[in-house]
Amino acid sequence: MIAQILFIIILAAAIYLFSKNAGKIRRNILLGKDTDRSDNPALRWKTMAKIALGQTKMVKRPLAAVMHFFIYAGFIIINLEVLEIMIDGVFGSHRIFSKPLGSLYDLLIGGFEFLALLVLVACITFLSRRNIARLKRFSGVEMTEWPRSDANYILIIEILLMTAFLTMNAADHKLQLLNFGHYIKAGSFPVSSFIAPMLPDGASSLEMIERGCWWFHIVGILAFLNYLPYSKHFHILLAFPNTYYSNLHPKGQLTNMASVTNEVKAMLDPSFVPETAGEPGRFGAKDVTDLTWKNLMEAYTCTECGRCTSVCPANITGKLLSPRKIMMDTRDRITEVGNNIDKHGKDFKDDKSLLDNYITREELWACTTCNACTDACPVNINPLEIIIEMRRYVVMEESQAPASLNNMFSNVENNGAPWKYSSADRLNWKENI
């Protein structure tokens, strides 16, 4: 009974803390401007199933795709076993699903063990790629000590959890063979049976190992749940809504600013009356609250995998721009804004902004708007939208575009074309044919 009460307290505390921290992230995301992504629900469900569930954009890197699938499948399917562990913890039962499922239970436990082994293999492979092979895309100015450590912590935690799961089953299997206590014969143990010979033969020692691994496994999962809001691993939850709310328009299609569109329509048609009255807001984005909630959701969804930066032509040619850094900086800034709200209230201003304090102008103007980063992202994140909005602010609010662009703007205004020649001289080239 004491163990049950202790488990219920730990479970309730874990759920409360996770809900509180997840609620803060939701609050931070909703600090962004509104945007409508409710159109075409059928296509959105299809996109989510294809990209988030099917992981179709991962296959461009086959080894990473296969290893990630092992972890992904293990995370989803082994959670069925976690459900049983939680029920056992609350009610004091042991392998409560074994009787109602019958022989299917043996198949499930055996399948869970094979998945746990595949998760171990995948995690060890990923650790080796990061710390031994040191793949280039896992480095960069934005990959400071914490992002690198975060990735390693996640992999190590998963290795420990899977090891505890298999060791627990191995001890349980030996206790079943001894007909000890409440350890009924249930389950198939094709992997943990190889661990069993390394365990002691005494029933009391085996029970201590089984109970220790049981508590370590379930408490470890609950602790890992509360680590997610502080980690890039939060993408396992946000990848689904993020892909559902993907931009369904062609990648090269930029958004128009409603205030500017209304001005143009009013000039062309004096009788035009805009749907919304009042002064237009800020042109473009200086800080994170000028971005849309979808931009901020994408920042929290970023997996820091580096695929975007590895295909960015600006980054490849040695320029400062890193699309991954754009997303990480956006996430860090909106988190900072949220922390300021918690400490000082919603009206607090810290005299900082995403522009200049986090992202430099040199980074913004290095972008070629080729959309390679958007195409490469496995969860449909769009760093280009943030770059374009910040460029709009620099040009339309501060009039601080690079000299080459200012010359082009002047030519368009005066000559109706990007070049310095007047409209009357546009066909002079044919005289030389």
Side-chain angles (χ1 to χ4, degrees):
M1 181 61 70
I2 295 177
Q4 291 173 243
I5 294 173
L6 179 60
F7 178 78
I8 292 172
I9 292 173
I10 293 173
L11 179 62
I15 294 173
Y16 168 76
L17 289 174
F18 175 77
S19 301
K20 180 180 179 181
N21 289 322
K24 288 182 178 180
I25 290 177
R26 180 180 182 275
R27 185 272 317 273
N28 292 348
I29 291 173
L30 294 179
L31 292 175
K33 295 191 300 185
D34 190 29
T35 184
D36 185 13
R37 294 290 177 92
S38 61
D39 61 309
N40 207 337
L43 181 56
R44 294 191 177 279
W45 282 108
K46 180 180 178 181
T47 301
M48 184 181 72
K50 179 181 177 182
I51 305 299
L53 188 63
Q55 302 188 34
T56 53
K57 294 183 75 173
M58 293 285 293
V59 297
K60 293 180 180 180
R61 301 175 188 264
L63 176 61
V66 172
M67 293 296 108
H68 189 272
F69 178 78
F70 290 162
I71 295 177
Y72 171 74
F75 176 82
I76 297 295
I77 299 174
I78 294 178
N79 276 343
L80 297 174
E81 170 71 3
V82 174
L83 176 62
E84 181 186 51
I85 290 176
M86 287 186 176
I87 294 174
D88 286 343
V90 172
F91 296 101
S93 55
H94 185 72
R95 297 194 177 274
I96 195 171
F97 290 161
S98 59
K99 288 185 178 179
L101 294 179
S103 59
L104 177 61
Y105 185 80
D106 294 349
L107 180 64
L108 286 174
I109 296 300
F112 295 157
E113 290 212 343
F114 278 119
L115 278 174
L117 178 61
L118 292 176
V119 170
L120 282 172
V121 170
C123 288
I124 293 171
T125 301
F126 282 150
L127 273 176
S128 300
R129 283 158 57 89
R130 286 182 174 273
N131 300 287
I132 299 176
R134 295 185 180 276
L135 297 187
K136 184 178 179 181
R137 68 183 173 93
F138 296 136
S139 62
V141 294
E142 68 273 20
M143 298 304 288
T144 56
E145 183 177 353
W146 166 246
R148 293 197 306 271
S149 299
D150 179 34
N152 287 330
Y153 293 158
I154 290 168
L155 295 170
I156 292 170
I157 290 171
E158 292 195 25
I159 289 173
L160 292 175
L161 290 176
M162 293 303 103
T163 302
F165 171 70
L166 292 173
T167 306
M168 175 188 74
N169 280 355
D172 193 304
H173 179 49
K174 292 192 75 170
L175 287 167
Q176 290 181 25
L177 295 177
L178 293 173
N179 293 316
F180 180 78
H182 61 272
Y183 292 92
I184 58 174
K185 290 186 177 181
S188 174
F189 308 98
V191 178
S192 60
S193 59
F194 290 96
I195 302 175
M198 295 183 283
L199 301 181
D201 295 323
S204 58
S205 298
L206 288 171
E207 184 181 27
M208 187 178 299
I209 292 172
E210 191 275 336
R211 287 291 85 192
C213 289
W214 186 94
W215 278 100
F216 181 87
H217 184 66
I218 191 60
V219 174
I221 288 175
L222 295 176
F224 183 63
L225 178 70
N226 280 279
Y227 178 69
L228 292 182
Y230 303 96
S231 165
K232 77 184 186 78
H233 216 56
F234 203 61
H235 76 268
I236 62 178
L237 302 179
L238 286 183
F240 292 91
N242 192 71
T243 51
Y244 178 85
Y245 292 115
S246 295
N247 179 17
L248 301 181
H249 298 297
K251 289 186 176 66
Q253 180 178 332
L254 300 179
T255 58
N256 292 322
M257 299 179 65
S259 56
V260 177
T261 302
N262 289 338
E263 289 291 331
V264 173
K265 288 181 178 178
M267 286 190 293
L268 297 175
D269 180 9
S271 64
F272 172 76
V273 178
E275 295 180 2
T276 56
E279 292 294 323
R282 174 179 283 167
F283 293 127
K286 180 182 181 182
D287 206 357
V288 285
T289 51
D290 300 321
L291 299 171
T292 68
W293 61 262
K294 181 58 168 63
N295 297 139
L296 302 182
M297 176 185 284
E298 290 178 343
Y300 279 110
T301 308
C302 179
T303 68
E304 300 174 13
C305 66
R307 284 174 172 80
C308 54
T309 296
S310 69
V311 299
C312 174
N315 187 271
I316 291 171
T317 54
K319 297 178 178 63
L320 286 183
L321 176 63
S322 168
R324 173 174 56 191
K325 180 178 179 296
I326 298 293
M327 303 313 302
M328 293 172 68
D329 285 345
T330 302
R331 181 184 61 209
D332 291 345
R333 174 57 184 159
I334 190 59
T335 300
E336 182 181 43
V337 171
N339 290 339
N340 285 335
I341 291 175
D342 293 334
K343 294 177 183 178
H344 307 290
K346 63 180 181 179
D347 296 325
F348 177 79
K349 305 294 181 183
D350 61 359
D351 298 323
K352 294 171 67 176
S353 67
L354 184 62
L355 180 64
D356 294 330
N357 293 112
Y358 283 84
I359 299 173
T360 66
R361 294 160 194 258
E362 184 176 353
E363 292 173 78
L364 295 178
W365 293 113
C367 178
T368 66
T369 64
C370 68
N371 266 302
C373 55
T374 306
D375 183 66
C377 180
V379 288
N380 281 4
I381 291 172
N382 190 346
L384 181 58
E385 282 189 2
I386 297 175
I387 293 172
I388 292 295
E389 288 303 314
M390 296 182 73
R391 279 182 174 180
R392 281 175 169 169
Y393 173 82
V394 171
V395 173
M396 301 182 73
E397 291 275 351
E398 297 185 340
S399 300
Q400 291 188 13
S404 58
L405 284 182
N406 282 331
N407 291 335
M408 185 270 291
F409 292 151
S410 178
N411 290 332
V412 169
E413 182 178 5
N414 296 322
N415 305 323
W419 303 281
K420 62 182 179 180
Y421 308 107
S422 68
S423 57
D425 296 332
R426 287 181 184 172
L427 294 178
N428 287 351
W429 59 271
K430 71 177 183 179
E431 303 297 334
N432 299 321
I433 296 177

